[in-house]
Amino acid sequence: MPVEWWIAVVLTTIVAVSQLGSGVIQALGGNPFTGIGGSASGDGMWGLTLRGLYGLDIFSNFSGFGGAQYFRPG
């Protein structure tokens, strides 16, 4: 992704910490999408945030490996 280095570092850190946290929660037998937000609406917001971070990770990997060149018209 064509972004400044510090943006890439911040996004990478956020994604890595969230994935590590999700892995720990799952290893302890929990569900990383429920019980974290403190309420039903909090869980919903947390679930959207976590899914968004996973989407960002997938998109950045796709972009970093040159996948965007296959979707350019022409």
Side-chain angles (χ1 to χ4, degrees), residues 42-66:
D43 282 348
M45 290 301 295
W46 171 246
L48 287 174
T49 301
L50 191 56
R51 286 177 181 91
L53 289 171
Y54 282 131
L56 174 67
D57 185 34
I58 292 167
F59 173 74
S60 66
N61 289 336
F62 177 79
S63 177
F65 284 109

